[in-house]
Amino acid sequence: MTITHGRSRTISRRTHRRRVGGGRPRHSLTPWPESPPPVVVEVAPPVVRQHRAPSSSRSYLYAAVLRCALYLGPLSVAAAAAEPLARVEWPVPLVTLLLGWAAAQALTCTGVSVARRAGPAAAARQVGLGFAVVAGLWCALVWVAPSTMVGPDRGLALVVGLGGLATLATVTAALVTRAEAAIVLWCLPCWALAAITLADLKPVGTLLPAAIVVALIRAFQPIVVPGRRSRRPRLNRAELLRGGGYLIIGASQAICVGLVWQAGPSGSTAPFWLPLLLAVPILEALIGWHTRQVEAGLDAAENGADYHRHVRSVTLITLVGLLPPFAVGIALALAAYQLPAGLPGLVDTQSGVLGLAGGMLLGGVFAITYLVAARGRTGIAATIASAPPLTAAVLPFLPLPSSGPLPDAVAVLAATHLAGLLVVALIAQPAQSLDDNRRTS
Protein backbone atom coordinates (compact mmCIF):
# COMPACT_ATOMS: atom_id res chain seq x y z
CA MET A 1 0.00 0.00 0.00
CA THR A 2 1.73 3.08 -1.32
CA ILE A 3 0.05 6.44 -0.98
CA THR A 4 0.56 8.67 -4.01
CA HIS A 5 0.28 12.16 -2.63
CA GLY A 6 -2.41 14.29 -4.10
CA ARG A 7 -2.67 18.05 -3.88
CA SER A 8 -4.51 19.02 -0.75
CA ARG A 9 -6.17 22.38 -0.84
CA THR A 10 -7.17 24.90 1.77
CA ILE A 11 -9.45 27.90 1.61
CA SER A 12 -9.56 30.98 3.76
CA ARG A 13 -12.38 32.01 6.03
CA ARG A 14 -13.93 34.93 4.23
CA THR A 15 -17.35 36.39 3.68
CA HIS A 16 -19.28 35.25 0.67
CA ARG A 17 -18.47 38.37 -1.29
CA ARG A 18 -17.02 37.33 -4.63
CA ARG A 19 -15.04 39.43 -7.01
CA VAL A 20 -16.70 39.56 -10.41
CA GLY A 21 -14.54 39.42 -13.53
CA GLY A 22 -11.40 37.69 -14.74
CA GLY A 23 -12.74 34.14 -14.29
CA ARG A 24 -9.97 33.27 -11.87
CA PRO A 25 -10.34 29.76 -10.38
CA ARG A 26 -11.39 29.73 -6.79
CA HIS A 27 -8.26 27.96 -5.53
CA SER A 28 -5.80 29.26 -8.10
CA LEU A 29 -2.30 30.20 -7.01
CA THR A 30 -1.35 31.75 -10.34
CA PRO A 31 -0.29 35.38 -9.79
CA TRP A 32 -2.32 37.89 -11.70
CA PRO A 33 -1.18 41.31 -12.87
CA GLU A 34 -2.36 44.33 -11.03
CA SER A 35 -5.67 45.67 -12.26
CA PRO A 36 -8.14 48.35 -11.23
CA PRO A 37 -10.13 47.52 -8.12
CA PRO A 38 -12.88 45.12 -9.09
CA VAL A 39 -16.51 45.74 -8.42
CA VAL A 40 -17.66 43.92 -5.32
CA VAL A 41 -21.21 42.58 -5.40
CA GLU A 42 -23.12 40.11 -3.31
CA VAL A 43 -23.41 36.81 -5.14
CA ALA A 44 -25.26 33.79 -3.86
CA PRO A 45 -22.89 30.94 -2.99
CA PRO A 46 -24.42 28.43 -5.51
CA VAL A 47 -23.49 30.76 -8.36
CA VAL A 48 -19.78 30.77 -7.62
CA ARG A 49 -19.20 27.45 -5.89
CA GLN A 50 -17.04 25.14 -7.92
CA HIS A 51 -18.67 21.76 -8.48
CA ARG A 52 -16.78 18.62 -9.39
CA ALA A 53 -17.53 16.71 -12.53
CA PRO A 54 -19.78 13.72 -11.92
CA SER A 55 -17.36 11.46 -13.75
CA SER A 56 -14.71 12.01 -11.09
CA SER A 57 -16.97 11.40 -8.08
CA ARG A 58 -15.78 7.76 -7.85
CA SER A 59 -12.23 8.33 -9.02
CA TYR A 60 -10.83 7.13 -5.70
CA LEU A 61 -12.31 3.66 -6.37
CA TYR A 62 -10.63 3.49 -9.76
CA ALA A 63 -7.33 4.61 -8.25
CA ALA A 64 -7.59 2.01 -5.47
CA VAL A 65 -8.34 -0.81 -7.92
CA LEU A 66 -5.49 0.34 -10.16
CA ARG A 67 -2.99 0.38 -7.30
CA CYS A 68 -4.09 -3.06 -6.13
CA ALA A 69 -3.62 -4.40 -9.66
CA LEU A 70 -0.19 -2.79 -9.71
CA TYR A 71 0.77 -4.51 -6.44
CA LEU A 72 -0.06 -7.87 -8.03
CA GLY A 73 3.12 -7.47 -10.08
CA PRO A 74 5.52 -8.08 -7.16
CA LEU A 75 3.23 -10.78 -5.75
CA SER A 76 3.13 -12.62 -9.08
CA VAL A 77 6.93 -12.41 -9.33
CA ALA A 78 7.23 -13.92 -5.84
CA ALA A 79 4.83 -16.72 -6.79
CA ALA A 80 6.65 -17.44 -10.05
CA ALA A 81 10.00 -17.49 -8.22
CA ALA A 82 8.90 -20.09 -5.67
CA GLU A 83 11.58 -22.58 -6.75
CA PRO A 84 14.61 -20.26 -6.48
CA LEU A 85 13.21 -18.74 -3.28
CA ALA A 86 13.19 -22.22 -1.75
CA ARG A 87 16.91 -22.60 -2.51
CA VAL A 88 18.03 -19.50 -0.63
CA GLU A 89 17.97 -18.83 3.09
CA TRP A 90 15.04 -16.94 4.62
CA PRO A 91 17.02 -13.69 5.23
CA VAL A 92 17.33 -13.19 1.46
CA PRO A 93 13.64 -12.41 0.74
CA LEU A 94 13.20 -10.58 4.04
CA VAL A 95 16.18 -8.27 3.59
CA THR A 96 15.16 -7.69 -0.02
CA LEU A 97 11.69 -6.72 1.19
CA LEU A 98 13.17 -4.47 3.87
CA LEU A 99 15.46 -2.59 1.49
CA GLY A 100 13.04 -2.46 -1.43
CA TRP A 101 9.88 -1.54 0.46
CA ALA A 102 11.60 1.19 2.50
CA ALA A 103 13.13 2.65 -0.65
CA ALA A 104 9.81 2.43 -2.51
CA GLN A 105 7.98 4.37 0.22
CA ALA A 106 10.58 7.14 0.48
CA LEU A 107 11.13 7.49 -3.27
CA THR A 108 7.40 7.53 -4.02
CA CYS A 109 6.92 10.34 -1.52
CA THR A 110 9.75 12.50 -2.86
CA GLY A 111 9.32 11.42 -6.48
CA VAL A 112 5.78 12.78 -6.65
CA SER A 113 7.04 16.20 -5.55
CA VAL A 114 9.80 16.11 -8.18
CA ALA A 115 7.33 15.06 -10.88
CA ARG A 116 5.12 18.06 -10.16
CA ARG A 117 7.95 20.54 -10.51
CA ALA A 118 10.20 18.98 -13.17
CA GLY A 119 8.13 16.33 -14.95
CA PRO A 120 8.06 12.53 -15.02
CA ALA A 121 11.55 12.14 -16.50
CA ALA A 122 13.20 13.85 -13.53
CA ALA A 123 11.08 11.84 -11.10
CA ALA A 124 11.91 8.56 -12.84
CA ARG A 125 15.59 9.51 -12.79
CA GLN A 126 15.46 10.04 -9.05
CA VAL A 127 13.71 6.70 -8.50
CA GLY A 128 16.26 4.94 -10.71
CA LEU A 129 19.17 6.52 -8.86
CA GLY A 130 17.70 5.59 -5.48
CA PHE A 131 17.14 1.96 -6.40
CA ALA A 132 20.59 1.78 -8.00
CA VAL A 133 22.05 2.73 -4.60
CA VAL A 134 19.88 0.09 -2.91
CA ALA A 135 20.96 -2.52 -5.49
CA GLY A 136 24.61 -1.68 -4.80
CA LEU A 137 23.98 -2.09 -1.07
CA TRP A 138 22.38 -5.48 -1.72
CA CYS A 139 25.38 -6.63 -3.75
CA ALA A 140 27.69 -5.61 -0.92
CA LEU A 141 25.57 -7.47 1.63
CA VAL A 142 25.58 -10.66 -0.45
CA TRP A 143 29.36 -10.37 -0.86
CA VAL A 144 30.13 -10.10 2.88
CA ALA A 145 27.28 -12.18 4.38
CA PRO A 146 28.09 -15.69 5.61
CA SER A 147 26.73 -18.62 3.63
CA THR A 148 24.33 -19.45 6.46
CA MET A 149 22.51 -16.18 5.71
CA VAL A 150 22.33 -16.34 1.91
CA GLY A 151 22.57 -20.04 1.12
CA PRO A 152 25.17 -22.12 -0.70
CA ASP A 153 24.70 -20.29 -4.02
CA ARG A 154 25.61 -16.60 -3.64
CA GLY A 155 24.93 -15.92 -7.30
CA LEU A 156 21.36 -17.15 -6.95
CA ALA A 157 20.85 -15.03 -3.82
CA LEU A 158 22.19 -12.01 -5.71
CA VAL A 159 19.82 -12.57 -8.65
CA VAL A 160 16.82 -13.17 -6.38
CA GLY A 161 17.43 -9.94 -4.50
CA LEU A 162 18.02 -7.89 -7.64
CA GLY A 163 14.84 -9.30 -9.20
CA GLY A 164 12.80 -8.28 -6.17
CA LEU A 165 14.32 -4.80 -6.11
CA ALA A 166 13.69 -4.39 -9.86
CA THR A 167 10.04 -5.30 -9.38
CA LEU A 168 9.58 -2.78 -6.58
CA ALA A 169 11.42 -0.16 -8.64
CA THR A 170 8.94 -0.79 -11.46
CA VAL A 171 5.98 -0.17 -9.15
CA THR A 172 7.58 2.98 -7.71
CA ALA A 173 8.36 4.44 -11.12
CA ALA A 174 4.81 3.73 -12.26
CA LEU A 175 3.40 5.61 -9.27
CA VAL A 176 5.55 8.73 -9.61
CA THR A 177 5.13 8.98 -13.40
CA ARG A 178 1.40 8.22 -13.27
CA ALA A 179 1.78 5.21 -15.58
CA GLU A 180 0.00 2.67 -13.37
CA ALA A 181 -2.42 1.43 -16.04
CA ALA A 182 0.34 0.89 -18.59
CA ILE A 183 2.57 -0.96 -16.13
CA VAL A 184 -0.29 -3.23 -15.09
CA LEU A 185 -0.58 -4.33 -18.73
CA TRP A 186 3.16 -4.84 -19.04
CA CYS A 187 3.13 -6.98 -15.89
CA LEU A 188 0.63 -9.43 -17.37
CA PRO A 189 3.45 -11.81 -18.43
CA CYS A 190 4.49 -12.02 -14.77
CA TRP A 191 0.92 -12.90 -13.85
CA ALA A 192 0.90 -15.64 -16.50
CA LEU A 193 4.20 -17.06 -15.25
CA ALA A 194 2.86 -17.09 -11.71
CA ALA A 195 -0.22 -19.01 -12.86
CA ILE A 196 1.98 -21.50 -14.70
CA THR A 197 4.12 -22.01 -11.61
CA LEU A 198 1.15 -22.43 -9.26
CA ALA A 199 -0.43 -24.93 -11.69
CA ASP A 200 2.89 -26.82 -11.78
CA LEU A 201 2.75 -27.01 -15.57
CA LYS A 202 6.40 -26.39 -16.40
CA PRO A 203 9.38 -24.43 -15.01
CA VAL A 204 9.50 -20.81 -16.11
CA GLY A 205 13.31 -20.71 -16.33
CA THR A 206 14.67 -17.48 -17.77
CA LEU A 207 11.22 -16.23 -18.78
CA LEU A 208 10.70 -14.62 -15.37
CA PRO A 209 13.86 -12.44 -15.44
CA ALA A 210 12.95 -11.41 -18.99
CA ALA A 211 9.44 -10.41 -17.94
CA ILE A 212 10.84 -8.41 -15.00
CA VAL A 213 13.29 -6.55 -17.25
CA VAL A 214 10.65 -5.76 -19.85
CA ALA A 215 8.32 -4.24 -17.26
CA LEU A 216 11.25 -2.36 -15.70
CA ILE A 217 12.23 -0.78 -19.03
CA ARG A 218 8.65 0.30 -19.68
CA ALA A 219 8.36 1.84 -16.23
CA PHE A 220 11.50 3.91 -16.79
CA GLN A 221 10.56 4.87 -20.34
CA PRO A 222 10.80 8.62 -19.57
CA ILE A 223 14.57 8.26 -19.11
CA VAL A 224 15.15 5.30 -21.45
CA VAL A 225 13.64 7.05 -24.49
CA PRO A 226 15.76 10.09 -25.46
CA GLY A 227 14.02 13.38 -24.95
CA ARG A 228 14.38 16.78 -23.42
CA ARG A 229 16.39 16.56 -20.23
CA SER A 230 15.44 18.64 -17.25
CA ARG A 231 17.33 19.30 -14.08
CA ARG A 232 16.08 17.47 -11.03
CA PRO A 233 14.96 20.09 -8.53
CA ARG A 234 16.38 20.03 -5.05
CA LEU A 235 14.08 18.80 -2.37
CA ASN A 236 13.33 21.27 0.39
CA ARG A 237 13.58 20.48 4.07
CA ALA A 238 9.90 19.62 4.46
CA GLU A 239 10.03 17.17 1.54
CA LEU A 240 13.17 15.53 2.90
CA LEU A 241 11.59 15.12 6.32
CA ARG A 242 8.46 13.67 4.77
CA GLY A 243 10.55 11.28 2.70
CA GLY A 244 12.46 10.24 5.81
CA GLY A 245 9.18 9.58 7.58
CA TYR A 246 8.03 7.31 4.76
CA LEU A 247 11.41 5.56 4.83
CA ILE A 248 10.80 4.70 8.49
CA ILE A 249 7.25 3.62 7.66
CA GLY A 250 8.39 1.29 4.88
CA ALA A 251 11.20 -0.26 6.93
CA SER A 252 8.92 -0.78 9.93
CA GLN A 253 6.23 -2.42 7.82
CA ALA A 254 8.74 -4.82 6.27
CA ILE A 255 10.04 -5.74 9.74
CA CYS A 256 6.49 -6.37 10.95
CA VAL A 257 5.88 -8.71 8.01
CA GLY A 258 9.09 -10.56 8.87
CA LEU A 259 8.16 -10.82 12.55
CA VAL A 260 4.76 -12.38 11.90
CA TRP A 261 6.12 -14.62 9.15
CA GLN A 262 9.00 -16.01 11.18
CA ALA A 263 6.92 -16.36 14.33
CA GLY A 264 4.25 -18.36 12.51
CA PRO A 265 4.20 -22.10 11.87
CA SER A 266 7.08 -23.27 9.68
CA GLY A 267 6.21 -23.88 6.05
CA SER A 268 2.75 -22.29 6.29
CA THR A 269 2.32 -18.79 4.89
CA ALA A 270 -1.31 -18.91 3.70
CA PRO A 271 -2.91 -18.06 7.07
CA PHE A 272 -0.69 -15.02 7.42
CA TRP A 273 -0.97 -13.65 3.88
CA LEU A 274 -4.64 -14.38 3.20
CA PRO A 275 -6.30 -11.73 5.43
CA LEU A 276 -3.65 -9.18 4.51
CA LEU A 277 -4.30 -9.67 0.79
CA LEU A 278 -8.05 -9.52 1.27
CA ALA A 279 -7.89 -6.39 3.41
CA VAL A 280 -5.66 -4.34 1.09
CA PRO A 281 -8.29 -3.49 -1.60
CA ILE A 282 -10.94 -2.61 0.97
CA LEU A 283 -8.61 -0.46 3.05
CA GLU A 284 -7.21 1.23 -0.07
CA ALA A 285 -10.74 2.24 -1.05
CA LEU A 286 -11.49 3.43 2.49
CA ILE A 287 -8.39 5.64 2.60
CA GLY A 288 -9.14 7.00 -0.87
CA TRP A 289 -12.70 7.82 0.16
CA HIS A 290 -11.50 9.53 3.34
CA THR A 291 -8.97 11.79 1.63
CA ARG A 292 -11.45 12.52 -1.17
CA GLN A 293 -14.16 13.57 1.26
CA VAL A 294 -11.78 15.74 3.30
CA GLU A 295 -10.70 17.53 0.14
CA ALA A 296 -14.27 17.87 -1.11
CA GLY A 297 -15.12 19.64 2.12
CA LEU A 298 -12.92 22.53 1.02
CA ASP A 299 -15.38 23.29 -1.77
CA ALA A 300 -18.51 22.69 0.28
CA ALA A 301 -17.60 24.45 3.55
CA GLU A 302 -19.04 27.89 4.13
CA ASN A 303 -16.69 28.64 7.02
CA GLY A 304 -14.15 27.05 9.32
CA ALA A 305 -16.76 25.60 11.68
CA ASP A 306 -18.58 23.86 8.81
CA TYR A 307 -15.33 22.41 7.50
CA HIS A 308 -14.28 21.09 10.92
CA ARG A 309 -17.72 19.53 11.36
CA HIS A 310 -17.45 17.88 7.95
CA VAL A 311 -14.00 16.44 8.73
CA ARG A 312 -15.20 15.07 12.06
CA SER A 313 -18.11 13.31 10.34
CA VAL A 314 -15.82 11.79 7.72
CA THR A 315 -13.39 10.66 10.43
CA LEU A 316 -16.20 8.98 12.39
CA ILE A 317 -17.27 6.98 9.33
CA THR A 318 -13.64 6.06 8.68
CA LEU A 319 -13.25 4.79 12.24
CA VAL A 320 -16.25 2.54 11.71
CA GLY A 321 -14.52 1.14 8.62
CA LEU A 322 -11.27 0.55 10.53
CA LEU A 323 -12.94 -1.31 13.41
CA PRO A 324 -13.65 -4.66 11.61
CA PRO A 325 -9.96 -5.64 11.19
CA PHE A 326 -9.40 -4.95 14.88
CA ALA A 327 -12.53 -6.82 15.98
CA VAL A 328 -11.88 -9.83 13.72
CA GLY A 329 -8.21 -9.97 14.74
CA ILE A 330 -9.08 -9.93 18.45
CA ALA A 331 -11.80 -12.54 17.93
CA LEU A 332 -9.40 -14.87 16.09
CA ALA A 333 -6.72 -14.42 18.74
CA LEU A 334 -9.21 -15.31 21.50
CA ALA A 335 -10.56 -18.24 19.50
CA ALA A 336 -7.06 -19.67 19.14
CA TYR A 337 -6.97 -20.31 22.90
CA GLN A 338 -10.49 -21.76 23.03
CA LEU A 339 -9.72 -24.79 20.85
CA PRO A 340 -10.44 -28.22 22.38
CA ALA A 341 -7.49 -29.59 24.33
CA GLY A 342 -7.61 -33.00 22.64
CA LEU A 343 -7.60 -31.71 19.07
CA PRO A 344 -4.89 -33.42 16.95
CA GLY A 345 -2.20 -31.00 15.86
CA LEU A 346 -3.43 -28.40 18.32
CA VAL A 347 -0.19 -26.43 18.31
CA ASP A 348 -0.12 -26.03 14.54
CA THR A 349 -3.84 -25.21 14.42
CA GLN A 350 -3.47 -22.63 17.16
CA SER A 351 -0.49 -21.08 15.39
CA GLY A 352 -2.47 -20.97 12.15
CA VAL A 353 -5.37 -19.13 13.78
CA LEU A 354 -2.95 -16.73 15.47
CA GLY A 355 -1.33 -16.17 12.08
CA LEU A 356 -4.73 -15.21 10.69
CA ALA A 357 -5.19 -12.80 13.59
CA GLY A 358 -1.73 -11.31 13.02
CA GLY A 359 -2.38 -10.77 9.32
CA MET A 360 -5.74 -9.12 10.00
CA LEU A 361 -4.31 -6.78 12.64
CA LEU A 362 -1.28 -6.01 10.48
CA GLY A 363 -3.53 -4.92 7.61
CA GLY A 364 -5.40 -2.60 9.95
CA VAL A 365 -2.17 -1.08 11.27
CA PHE A 366 -1.00 -0.49 7.69
CA ALA A 367 -4.27 1.27 6.86
CA ILE A 368 -4.10 3.49 9.95
CA THR A 369 -0.49 4.38 9.20
CA TYR A 370 -1.22 5.45 5.64
CA LEU A 371 -4.36 7.30 6.64
CA VAL A 372 -2.53 9.35 9.26
CA ALA A 373 0.29 10.06 6.79
CA ALA A 374 -2.20 11.11 4.11
CA ARG A 375 -3.63 13.63 6.58
CA GLY A 376 -0.19 15.30 6.81
CA ARG A 377 0.96 13.76 10.11
CA THR A 378 3.93 11.87 8.72
CA GLY A 379 5.83 11.95 12.02
CA ILE A 380 2.90 10.44 13.92
CA ALA A 381 2.44 7.83 11.18
CA ALA A 382 6.12 6.87 11.40
CA THR A 383 5.78 6.54 15.17
CA ILE A 384 2.77 4.22 14.82
CA ALA A 385 4.53 2.11 12.17
CA SER A 386 7.75 1.76 14.19
CA ALA A 387 6.00 0.94 17.48
CA PRO A 388 5.52 -2.84 16.82
CA PRO A 389 9.14 -3.67 15.81
CA LEU A 390 10.58 -1.51 18.58
CA THR A 391 8.27 -3.08 21.17
CA ALA A 392 9.08 -6.58 19.92
CA ALA A 393 12.79 -5.80 20.28
CA VAL A 394 12.37 -4.53 23.85
CA LEU A 395 9.98 -7.23 25.16
CA PRO A 396 12.68 -9.91 25.78
CA PHE A 397 14.47 -7.53 28.16
CA LEU A 398 11.38 -6.69 30.21
CA PRO A 399 10.30 -8.72 33.26
CA LEU A 400 7.02 -9.71 31.61
CA PRO A 401 5.59 -13.19 30.97
CA SER A 402 5.87 -14.34 27.36
CA SER A 403 3.73 -16.91 25.54
CA GLY A 404 6.02 -17.11 22.53
CA PRO A 405 7.03 -14.97 19.54
CA LEU A 406 3.72 -15.27 17.67
CA PRO A 407 1.37 -14.49 20.60
CA ASP A 408 3.65 -11.59 21.56
CA ALA A 409 3.58 -10.25 17.99
CA VAL A 410 -0.23 -10.50 17.86
CA ALA A 411 -0.54 -8.72 21.22
CA VAL A 412 1.77 -5.91 20.10
CA LEU A 413 -0.15 -5.47 16.83
CA ALA A 414 -3.45 -5.39 18.71
CA ALA A 415 -2.18 -2.70 21.07
CA THR A 416 -0.80 -0.69 18.13
CA HIS A 417 -4.08 -1.01 16.23
CA LEU A 418 -6.03 0.24 19.23
CA ALA A 419 -3.64 3.16 19.74
CA GLY A 420 -3.91 3.96 16.03
CA LEU A 421 -7.70 4.12 16.22
CA LEU A 422 -7.39 6.64 19.04
CA VAL A 423 -4.93 8.68 16.97
CA VAL A 424 -7.32 8.70 13.99
CA ALA A 425 -10.09 9.93 16.28
CA LEU A 426 -7.85 12.71 17.61
CA ILE A 427 -6.87 13.96 14.14
CA ALA A 428 -10.49 14.74 13.31
CA GLN A 429 -9.38 18.35 13.69
CA PRO A 430 -7.96 19.44 10.29
CA ALA A 431 -4.18 19.73 10.09
CA GLN A 432 -4.45 23.28 8.78
CA SER A 433 -6.87 26.05 9.48
CA LEU A 434 -8.97 27.43 6.70
CA ASP A 435 -7.18 30.69 7.31
CA ASP A 436 -4.00 29.12 5.94
CA ASN A 437 -3.72 29.69 2.19
CA ARG A 438 -0.75 27.37 1.72
CA ARG A 439 -1.01 24.25 -0.36
CA THR A 440 0.63 21.09 0.87
CA SER A 441 1.22 17.81 -0.84
Side-chain angles (χ1 to χ4, degrees), residues 182-211:
I183 299 306
V184 168
L185 294 177
W186 283 76
C187 287
L188 290 180
C190 296
W191 298 12
L193 294 176
I196 292 173
T197 302
L198 294 176
D200 200 17
L201 297 178
K202 60 179 180 179
V204 298
T206 58
L207 293 178
L208 181 59

Side-chain angles (χ1 to χ4, degrees), residues 248-249 251-253 255-256 259 362 365-366 369 379-395 408-409 411-420 423:
I248 296 174
I249 290 173
S252 300
Q253 289 176 343
I255 294 173
C256 288
L259 286 175
L362 189 58
V365 172
F366 282 9
T369 301
I380 299 177
T383 302
I384 296 174
S386 59
L390 291 178
T391 305
V394 172
L395 277 179
D408 289 348
V412 169
L413 289 173
T416 305
H417 199 302
L418 179 59
V423 170

Side-chain angles (χ1 to χ4, degrees), residues 224 299 424:
V224 172
D299 287 334
V424 173

Side-chain angles (χ1 to χ4, degrees), residues 2-4 52-68 71 178 180 280-296 314 317-318:
T2 307
I3 296 297
T4 305
R52 299 184 184 274
S55 61
S56 63
S57 60
R58 302 285 182 181
S59 60
Y60 66 91
L61 289 177
Y62 173 75
V65 171
L66 198 58
R67 282 196 299 270
C68 291
Y71 302 152
R178 310 303 301 172
E180 296 98 326
V280 165
I282 300 174
L283 297 175
E284 280 274 4
L286 178 63
I287 295 173
W289 175 85
H290 178 96
T291 54
R292 174 78 175 184
Q293 291 299 316
V294 170
E295 182 176 313
V314 171
I317 298 174
T318 305

Side-chain angles (χ1 to χ4, degrees), residues 294-316:
V294 170
E295 182 176 313
L298 295 172
D299 287 334
E302 302 293 341
N303 49 52
D306 289 344
Y307 179 60
H308 293 175
R309 192 178 304 111
H310 171 80
V311 173
R312 284 193 293 269
S313 300
V314 171
T315 303
L316 179 61

